[in-house]
Amino acid sequence: MKLQFSAEDEAFRQEVRSFVRAQLPGDVRQKVARGLRLERSDYVAWYAKLYERGWITPGWPVEHGGPGWTPVQRYIFDEETLLGDAPRIIASGINMLGPVLIAFGSEEQKRRHLPPIRRSEVWWAQGFSEPGAGSDLASMRTSAVRDGDHFIVNGHKIWTSYAHFCDWLFCLVRTGSGKPQESISFLLIDLKTPGITVRPIRAIDGGNDLNEVFLDDVRVPAENLIGEINKGWSYAKYLLGHERTSIAGVGASKQQLARLKRLAACVRSEAGGLLIEEPSFRTRIAAIEIDLLALEYTGLRMLSGATVAAAPGVDASLLKIRGTELRQAIYEMLVEVAGPHAVAFVEEALFLEHAGEAVGPSDMTALAANYLDSRKLSIYGGANEIQRNLAARSLLEL
Amino acid sequence: MKLQFSAEDEAFRQEVRSFVRAQLPGDVRQKVARGLRLERSDYVAWYAKLYERGWITPGWPVEHGGPGWTPVQRYIFDEETLLGDAPRIIASGINMLGPVLIAFGSEEQKRRHLPPIRRSEVWWAQGFSEPGAGSDLASMRTSAVRDGDHFIVNGHKIWTSYAHFCDWLFCLVRTGSGKPQESISFLLIDLKTPGITVRPIRAIDGGNDLNEVFLDDVRVPAENLIGEINKGWSYAKYLLGHERTSIAGVGASKQQLARLKRLAACVRSEAGGLLIEEPSFRTRIAAIEIDLLALEYTGLRMLSGATVAAAPGVDASLLKIRGTELRQAIYEMLVEVAGPHAVAFVEEALFLEHAGEAVGPSDMTALAANYLDSRKLSIYGGANEIQRNLAARSLLEL
Amino acid sequence: MDFSFSDEQLQLRDVVRRFCDQEYPAERRGTAVSAEVAARRWRQMADMGLLGLPFDSACGGSGLSAVELMLVMEELGRSLASEPYFATVALGGALVAAAASPAQAQALLPRVVSGELTLALGFGEPDGRYELLPVEAEARPGSDGYRLNGHKTLVLNGDTADMLLIVARTAGAAHERDGVTLFLVDRKLHGVEVHGYSTLDGRRAADIVLRDACIPVDHVLGPVGEALPLLENVIERAVAALCAEATGALDALLALTVDYVKVRKQFGVPLATFQALQHRLVDMLIACEQARSMAVVAAMAIDDAGGDAAQRRRLVSAAKVQVGNAGRFVGQQAIQMHGAMGMTDECSVGHYVKRLMVINQLFGDVQYHLRRFAQETAA
Amino acid sequence: MDFSFSDEQLQLRDVVRRFCDQEYPAERRGTAVSAEVAARRWRQMADMGLLGLPFDSACGGSGLSAVELMLVMEELGRSLASEPYFATVALGGALVAAAASPAQAQALLPRVVSGELTLALGFGEPDGRYELLPVEAEARPGSDGYRLNGHKTLVLNGDTADMLLIVARTAGAAHERDGVTLFLVDRKLHGVEVHGYSTLDGRRAADIVLRDACIPVDHVLGPVGEALPLLENVIERAVAALCAEATGALDALLALTVDYVKVRKQFGVPLATFQALQHRLVDMLIACEQARSMAVVAAMAIDDAGGDAAQRRRLVSAAKVQVGNAGRFVGQQAIQMHGAMGMTDECSVGHYVKRLMVINQLFGDVQYHLRRFAQETAA
């Protein structure tokens, strides 16, 4: 047993840290640090650096351009990029489609689609959810009917994150009737195809990362089918398994905790001193820090191969539940630190270019919006209620 | 609308307060204040005073010896007796059987049983629960079979509080098969009848208020049947409705909160001053006090006839849930105040006569035991899970 | 001890509720409206007597108490009414009524009552957080009145109100209680810069920067240098009114969520059949009821003229704490149970949540009032 | 970063677990045993090498680390083993190993290892709460050694241990760090009054009152006046060991509850089918796992000799906080789900709950360690 990271891992950490310091564009770093809005170009500016360094697809096999990291290195990479206020890798092409293409795509599909994903030239949106089918994919209704060399797709996808940034959509469609395991296919769709409408959905924080995609007699070449017809359910399950990396979000929580302390060190408390020095505030932060430490080490124990003694198979749910709850608790305290400054909401000031138009300290502009946005953490990617159901099933052997 | 109690009510409060001060025996008051063990004789000493004053059966109609108080007066009486560290009225004869006898008993039964209850000469135990049938009375199995002028009762009752104090048992028995609404009867049983064994169950706090009662071919005169045969279910429901008075336990919580502050004013905190003066401790007490205020006024609003807007019929559940949670939170903090003194557990010192044998400050002797005992609050009288089920049914109109 | 409303009070509530049901249809709550619609609503409020509710009949008001104001605020909260009722009536108007000379009151309040005049109160300063002090804004007497300099922040409806009430210092150091004076300032006056902006709940506020704004002597409201106790008193009442507004919003959030879980299906059955959600809904109900009880008690304490001032502060703080905690818990759970839909601006849940957040961040949040309660209890 | 146990470590755990399964059958955990049974168990522990686990091989020990001690403590916690292992090995023995001269160590530790000698540490005083200071007990040098006077409270196993380790002051004022010295005191010595009593978890402790007890000079353990850092260090390790014990108890409580809800029926179906209980069980599992992670990390930090001392204190405090919180939550829910049965002494749930309560109240509770963590973090 060893509590410290190995010398190699520490060296790797330094390498990542230096890389972030040197390569992350200053304006992008500021946007992330202050919780402001990011554009596709912001992500691409950073992803291009990662691409050059060979670090853009940490989860891909080496032969497809992955860096061949150990799980601990991936962990360190995630943490250091987040602590350096780099944007997360949100591109669904990298996180989701890539692994599916590599596992189940034809050679031609891989050749065609993987390189533009790595170069951030083509951005992919995920078309799984539908109105009425959120955590419950089985009740999906979007259909694809074969018509010669094409599928004709009709339906309505929703909660497609970043679709307004995106060029292509990977999509689950119903190609048969019966059990979802036997009637759903996995299709790639160029968003420029006639018959597609992308409608942004304004979120409670004013953001528009979420979209609806309407598909109306959309003709999709049959060559865009992944794997076999009616086997899409299993590819989707594979994909959702891959989505789970760094599910605890410890790095993101540490980043926000650092932000919390930084801001609390600038705010005067009613008691007279600085908020960060007030014993009861410090104790409340300590409670969160300790919980986060316990979560971090739980994740590291799992990385190191230890299984959860009481119930194997609940690891991911456990990390997701506590990880999101903790992150949300930190965002709650960020709003508390903002105090009355959380009331003003100058939407333009959420863009760095207009940050000067903020009311009050400009590093507090986005706190209320960030808090509101954080509420999604316990909803998306399998709501925490679903995670608890899953974990209970394992624990109780139901 | 009026926030203050009326002058009459305030006068009544003074009257109760003076009465408690003058009449409550000093040793009994000390036992209650310090959370020590009470004997039947302690209760009787106090109940005798209440009987003399005509206050022993606040929930009974005037013609049967009730004092004819308004709901507000009953509320004030409960609060003042508790704040004066008087024992609660735990006698099931007064709280439970009395109202049932008055409503459903024969004249002969009333004449025979009510006066000894009021004089605390005969103590009654409640025999409802059975092993395997806690919150779920429908699966009860104790049977009574008619044999001439008698019933022959066989079965096993459990969680009969204070049965070791008691002379008689009122009991639900199965007298038919089929739905509980049509097959359960309500029977009075003299605990001295042959075939009855009372076995005390040691509780986690070391107390033995709980008992099992084994009934083995017990011959019960048929005249001891309450009301009609097979109608016991409805009498039991009536009784459980009556059990709900002062279900929020605000008075009891206030009593314990006062104890908490009293003790915290004697303990030195690690920070140097007294624990009660430490800002973060005070803020945590304030959070409980505020919650308790909100609960108290919710109860008073209900007393004054206001119904819960969002869902009529959930009042009692609401008060029970929050009331018990809050009381438990106070007991948690009491253990915190005790600090290392909560570790010693000198069982004899829980009796006033031996209180001198306590380790550490003798007013902290019982804190850990009291905390452990408080865990029953969310279990007995319809577990809080059951209360939430009931309340949800009303709220959601299920 | 009597928590029952009089028939008149219940009538008032019903009238306001009918008005709100009509003017703020459920599906459009929280969305912006045209200036005409807003003006029409304001006129209607005036016609119904709502704008004069707490003021003396000599000024055209109805002279009603904090309990009536509570009933109105609750309905406005339930319907997310975004008109500047709180800023003009509960805050600005109440301060005029408390501080102004009879002549000033006569000049101002009838116009408030009729809907002609809207008000805004500028008291907070950029670093003041939730405290009334320090007051750094300065008013120096000159030959033609006072010259005002300073920066007031988060002036609710400050960019739309016709008249501003500005707290400035005529003597003493920034943290002193003495020397604070109240000025009536025309928003369009020379030297008054108004920087208006949206608030989180889609309403308006402004930062007001005063640069040698020249205020005539007869625009001083109340005694020179002694405005602080008046201000504290009015803010106490305003907090009680905000708590009442919050209970309306809480009720609406709970009702929306109850309706949603009954309809929305997952795995083929309504969400309402899941016990974990049922129990959480009960906890939401309890939080709402506890918040309501304290909001009612806070209003009654305000009306209880003979009551103890420290006890009143305790009860108002307790109400603010309950409302803040309930707002956070009920808001978070309402979003959670609405799922992704709850994260959108198209669903009114988010609008209620944001209003409740703003209410928590105004005049002291949960932690602030917990501390204040603890202090008042120890004192 | 490596959290995997070595084969030897896993073997040790398995051996201890088998021993515990045999000696502490599930249905009798937490109940009192005869002196013979207790003596037999103690002998077996000695035979298995457990009593010498952390001590130098020169003293007959195995020289193993905090991680091995953790593995043993966890199993003892899981089976509610009530033998004075913690007091004798993790606390008393460890202090002897840290403070004693080679000759003293040779005189004492081999007898601990063989099971002949049990130890108890008296450090706390009646008003000291969780702090090591003040030390009011005094040791005055005289012609025939030191005269000890004072009152030590909550000396774990103090009424059964053969030898007491007593912390007393040889110089300085009560709150000074310097001047604290450690004495080896025979329990049966003249002037040593031992007031033994039960603890909440059914074990034993004692208050020790010293009245001019005469201690020979060669019974001073370690440097005169400089015992405090040694003591802090040993208590740090002891806390890590207690945290490990707690994780075993937590695991057992969760397992008991999971088993119970699968069997116990209400309204005709097993409790395990109720979603509200399912979700709570998951939260209990999470609490147990988080507590376990921190207990492991605390043990590893103790072993990480080159590590930063402040960081070690932070991690130990974090572990104590997690264990304390988990103990409270899991304990309360285990009782709740067992219903009335959980309230009885006949059900082992209560015994686990009480042991976890005691662990929380020893060496600083949740609030104490939260504060310590915050201080170490800021420092």
Side-chain angles (χ1 to χ4, degrees), chain B residues 20-302:
Chain B
V20 175
R21 277 208 199 120
Q23 301 295 330
L24 177 63
D27 57 339
V28 178
R29 192 185 53 69
Q30 272 212 53
K31 289 186 187 187
V32 173
R34 288 157 64 179
L36 304 179
R37 304 253 190 260
L38 277 80
E39 303 292 337
R40 174 167 163 170
S41 56
D42 296 317
Y43 290 104
V44 168
W46 169 235
Y47 295 174
K49 302 289 183 184
L50 290 174
Y51 174 74
E52 283 166 28
R53 188 70 181 74
W55 288 353
I56 186 65
T57 49
W60 293 16
V62 176
E63 60 271 32
H64 289 286
W69 287 334
T70 63
V72 170
Q73 283 179 309
R74 285 194 62 181
Y75 185 91
I76 290 172
F77 175 78
D78 284 347
E79 178 164 309
E80 283 300 323
T81 47
L82 285 164
L83 289 179
D85 290 323
R88 285 180 307 123
I89 297 184
I90 54 154
S92 300
I94 295 171
N95 293 332
M96 301 180 184
L97 180 62
V100 169
L101 276 176
I102 290 165
F104 307 107
S106 67
E107 287 312 311
E108 168 53 26
Q109 286 169 335
K110 292 182 207 177
R111 207 160 28 237
R112 179 172 170 201
H113 294 297
L114 291 179
I117 290 177
R118 296 189 65 233
R119 290 194 301 266
S120 301
E121 288 165 4
V122 173
W123 278 54
W124 288 81
Q126 180 205 41
F128 282 13
S129 294
E130 297 188 4
S135 294
D136 171 22
L137 289 180
S139 41
M140 224 186 62
R141 293 207 298 227
T142 296
S143 68
V145 178
R146 186 73 184 235
D147 178 32
D149 284 353
H150 285 77
F151 287 99
I152 313 294
V153 181
N154 278 287
H156 179 185
K157 294 289 178 182
I158 198 167
W159 318 131
T160 40
S161 303
Y162 306 104
H164 60 307
F165 284 0
C166 291
D167 311 293
W168 280 70
L169 179 75
F170 58 89
C171 195
L172 291 181
V173 291
R174 207 166 265 287
T175 40
S177 55
K179 288 199 293 182
Q181 290 82 347
E182 300 164 0
S183 61
I184 285 176
S185 299
F186 195 110
L187 208 56
L188 311 182
I189 304 178
D190 186 334
L191 282 169
K192 289 183 296 295
T193 321
I196 295 180
T197 316
V198 174
R199 188 183 78 89
I201 302 173
R202 191 178 152 88
I204 45 173
D205 68 337
N208 61 349
D209 293 344
L210 294 176
N211 298 270
E212 282 183 288
V213 180
F214 298 90
L215 301 124
D216 188 13
D217 281 336
V218 178
R219 292 184 67 84
V220 179
E223 68 201 48
N224 287 355
L225 178 75
I226 295 287
E228 292 177 54
I229 191 113
N230 291 332
K231 290 277 174 69
W233 183 259
S234 63
Y235 310 148
K237 280 188 73 172
Y238 177 85
L239 176 155
L240 293 172
H242 256 263
E243 205 189 348
R244 295 278 168 91
T245 49
S246 66
I247 198 171
V250 171
S253 287
K254 282 185 174 178
Q255 178 196 31
Q256 294 305 316
L257 199 54
R259 186 182 180 198
L260 175 63
K261 289 178 165 186
R262 200 164 64 227
L263 293 175
C266 305
V267 170
R268 210 148 273 290
S269 84
E270 282 79 21
L274 295 176
L275 189 56
I276 189 77
E277 289 163 359
E278 205 182 271
S280 74
F281 185 82
R282 277 173 54 192
T283 311
R284 289 165 61 221
I285 289 199
I288 291 180
E289 279 189 286
I290 289 174
D291 239 354
L292 187 58
L293 266 180
L295 185 72
E296 177 176 22
Y297 283 115
T298 302
L300 287 168
R301 273 174 61 222
M302 290 169 182

Side-chain angles (χ1 to χ4, degrees), chain A residues 2 4 298 301 388-389, chain D residues 1-2 279 283 293 304 322:
Chain A
K2 200 165 166 315
Q4 312 301 345
T298 302
R301 273 174 61 222
R388 284 193 167 86
N389 286 347
Chain D
M1 184 72 59
D2 177 12
H279 284 197
D283 288 335
S293 296
D304 186 22
Q322 284 292 328

Side-chain angles (χ1 to χ4, degrees), chain A residues 215-238:
Chain A
L215 300 125
D216 188 15
D217 280 337
V218 178
R219 292 184 66 80
V220 180
E223 68 200 50
N224 288 354
L225 179 75
I226 295 287
E228 290 178 53
I229 192 113
N230 291 333
K231 290 277 174 71
W233 182 260
S234 63
Y235 310 148
K237 279 188 72 172
Y238 178 84

Side-chain angles (χ1 to χ4, degrees), chain D residues 71-355:
Chain D
L71 292 169
V72 174
M73 289 299 292
E74 180 179 345
E75 296 310 317
L76 299 181
R78 190 189 312 281
S79 54
L80 276 180
S82 56
E83 279 62 45
Y85 188 84
F86 176 75
T88 293
V89 179
L91 208 51
L95 192 54
V96 170
S101 68
Q104 288 171 324
Q106 275 300 337
L108 295 168
L109 289 181
R111 292 167 59 211
V112 170
V113 174
S114 68
E116 289 163 72
L117 184 71
T118 54
L119 301 172
L121 170 61
F123 67 97
E125 302 192 355
D127 293 327
R129 219 167 151 83
Y130 298 121
E131 297 286 358
L132 292 182
L133 295 175
V135 172
E136 311 246 17
E138 266 190 342
R140 295 192 189 193
S143 55
D144 51 352
Y146 288 88
R147 294 276 169 172
L148 259 63
N149 281 285
H151 183 169
K152 294 289 161 183
T153 193
L154 205 61
V155 181
L156 298 178
N157 296 108
D159 61 341
T160 57
D162 304 303
M163 201 59 100
L164 307 172
L165 304 170
I166 298 288
V167 177
R169 182 167 290 286
T170 42
H175 281 86
E176 275 177 46
R177 288 183 58 84
D178 284 342
V180 174
T181 306
L182 203 57
F183 295 89
L184 197 60
V185 178
D186 191 309
R187 181 166 58 87
K188 292 173 181 146
L189 196 71
H190 185 75
V192 178
E193 285 174 24
V194 176
H195 303 276
Y197 44 83
S198 294
T199 48
L200 185 61
D201 50 4
R203 304 186 188 185
R204 301 292 299 175
D207 274 29
I208 310 278
V209 178
L210 302 152
R211 299 190 203 275
D212 267 338
C214 182
I215 314 294
V217 175
D218 63 355
H219 275 41
V220 171
L221 273 185
V224 172
E226 294 169 24
L228 205 66
L230 286 170
L231 199 58
E232 285 173 339
N233 208 298
V234 166
I235 286 181
E236 208 74 24
R237 292 164 170 269
V239 169
L242 271 189
C243 290
E245 185 190 342
T247 62
L250 284 166
D251 253 19
L253 260 185
L254 179 60
L256 278 172
T257 310
V258 164
D259 288 347
Y260 186 78
V261 299
K262 289 204 271 193
V263 172
R264 170 76 181 188
K265 291 191 177 182
Q266 196 163 57
F267 307 115
V269 293
L271 288 178
T273 56
F274 291 102
Q275 194 192 31
L277 300 191
Q278 291 177 356
H279 284 197
R280 224 183 290 154
L281 283 162
V282 169
D283 288 335
M284 291 162 72
L285 168 64
I286 294 176
C288 289
E289 279 307 316
Q290 286 193 289
R292 170 179 304 280
S293 296
M294 287 317 303
V296 171
V297 167
M300 289 165 79
I302 296 284
D303 283 340
D304 186 22
D308 169 46
Q311 172 68 353
R312 183 164 57 238
R313 280 194 296 275
R314 284 180 82 226
L315 292 175
V316 169
S317 278
K320 194 72 168 49
V321 167
Q322 284 292 328
V323 153
N325 282 333
R328 197 187 55 231
F329 173 65
V330 174
Q332 292 176 350
Q333 294 310 323
I335 292 176
Q336 182 74 19
M337 293 198 205
H338 277 80
M341 185 56 75
M343 289 297 297
T344 72
D345 209 41
E346 295 166 13
C347 172
S348 61
V349 163
H351 299 285
Y352 283 105
V353 166
K354 287 187 263 190
R355 181 61 190 156

Side-chain angles (χ1 to χ4, degrees), chain C residues 144-229:
Chain C
D144 51 352
Y146 287 88
R147 294 278 169 169
L148 259 63
N149 282 284
H151 183 169
K152 294 288 162 183
T153 194
L154 206 59
V155 181
L156 299 178
N157 295 107
D159 62 341
T160 55
D162 304 304
M163 203 57 101
L164 307 172
L165 305 170
I166 298 289
V167 177
R169 182 166 289 286
T170 42
H175 279 86
E176 274 177 45
R177 288 184 59 86
D178 285 343
V180 174
T181 306
L182 202 58
F183 295 89
L184 197 62
V185 177
D186 191 308
R187 180 167 58 88
K188 290 173 181 145
L189 196 71
H190 184 76
V192 177
E193 285 174 25
V194 176
H195 303 275
Y197 45 83
S198 294
T199 49
L200 186 61
D201 52 3
R203 305 187 188 184
R204 303 290 301 174
D207 273 30
I208 310 277
V209 178
L210 301 152
R211 298 190 204 276
D212 267 339
C214 181
I215 313 295
V217 176
D218 62 355
H219 276 40
V220 171
L221 273 184
V224 172
E226 295 170 22
L228 206 65

Side-chain angles (χ1 to χ4, degrees), chain C residues 12-356:
Chain C
L12 172 67
R13 183 178 69 185
D14 291 346
V15 166
V16 180
R17 189 174 291 183
R18 270 199 302 276
F19 163 73
C20 288
D21 283 348
Q22 191 182 322
E23 281 296 320
Y24 309 90
E27 64 282 7
R28 288 171 47 202
R29 282 176 189 172
T31 57
V33 292
S34 67
E36 294 91 64
V37 172
R40 186 190 68 217
R41 289 176 179 168
W42 196 248
R43 259 194 323 274
Q44 284 183 267
M45 288 186 183
D47 293 346
M48 292 162 69
L50 300 185
L51 302 185
L53 190 116
F55 309 133
D56 213 68
S57 59
C59 300
S62 331
L64 294 176
S65 74
V67 168
E68 279 84 5
L69 185 61
M70 169 186 88
L71 292 169
V72 173
M73 289 298 292
E74 180 179 345
E75 295 310 317
L76 298 181
R78 190 190 311 281
S79 54
L80 276 182
S82 56
E83 279 62 46
Y85 188 83
F86 176 74
T88 293
V89 178
L91 208 51
L95 192 53
V96 169
S101 67
Q104 288 171 324
Q106 275 300 338
L108 295 168
L109 289 182
R111 291 167 62 211
V112 170
V113 173
S114 68
E116 288 164 72
L117 185 71
T118 55
L119 301 172
L121 170 63
F123 67 97
E125 301 193 356
D127 293 327
R129 220 166 150 82
Y130 299 121
E131 297 286 357
L132 293 182
L133 294 176
V135 173
E136 310 248 17
E138 265 191 344
R140 294 191 193 197
S143 54
D144 51 352
Y146 287 88
R147 294 278 169 169
L148 259 63
N149 282 284
H151 183 169
K152 294 288 162 183
T153 194
L154 206 59
V155 181
L156 299 178
N157 295 107
D159 62 341
T160 55
D162 304 304
M163 203 57 101
L164 307 172
L165 305 170
I166 298 289
V167 177
R169 182 166 289 286
T170 42
H175 279 86
E176 274 177 45
R177 288 184 59 86
D178 285 343
V180 174
T181 306
L182 202 58
F183 295 89
L184 197 62
V185 177
D186 191 308
R187 180 167 58 88
K188 290 173 181 145
L189 196 71
H190 184 76
V192 177
E193 285 174 25
V194 176
H195 303 275
Y197 45 83
S198 294
T199 49
L200 186 61
D201 52 3
R203 305 187 188 184
R204 303 290 301 174
D207 273 30
I208 310 277
V209 178
L210 301 152
R211 298 190 204 276
D212 267 339
C214 181
I215 313 295
V217 176
D218 62 355
H219 276 40
V220 171
L221 273 184
V224 172
E226 295 170 22
L228 206 65
L230 286 171
L231 199 59
E232 285 172 339
N233 207 297
V234 166
I235 286 181
E236 209 73 23
R237 292 164 170 269
V239 170
L242 270 188
C243 289
E245 185 190 342
T247 63
L250 284 165
D251 252 19
L253 259 185
L254 178 60
L256 277 172
T257 310
V258 164
D259 288 348
Y260 186 79
V261 298
K262 289 205 272 194
V263 171
R264 170 74 181 189
K265 292 190 174 179
Q266 198 164 54
F267 308 115
V269 293
L271 289 178
T273 57
F274 292 102
Q275 194 191 30
L277 301 191
Q278 291 176 357
H279 284 198
R280 224 183 291 153
L281 283 162
V282 169
D283 288 335
M284 290 163 72
L285 169 64
I286 293 176
C288 289
E289 279 308 315
Q290 286 193 289
R292 168 180 306 281
S293 296
M294 286 318 302
V296 170
V297 167
M300 289 166 79
I302 297 283
D303 283 340
D304 186 23
D308 169 45
Q311 172 68 352
R312 183 162 60 237
R313 279 194 296 276
R314 284 180 83 226
L315 293 175
V316 169
S317 277
K320 195 71 169 48
V321 167
Q322 284 291 327
V323 153
N325 282 333
R328 196 187 57 231
F329 174 65
V330 174
Q332 291 176 350
Q333 295 309 324
I335 292 176
Q336 182 72 20
M337 293 198 205
H338 277 79
M341 186 56 75
M343 289 296 297
T344 72
D345 208 43
E346 294 166 14
C347 171
S348 61
V349 163
H351 299 284
Y352 283 105
V353 167
K354 287 187 264 190
R355 181 61 190 157
L356 286 164

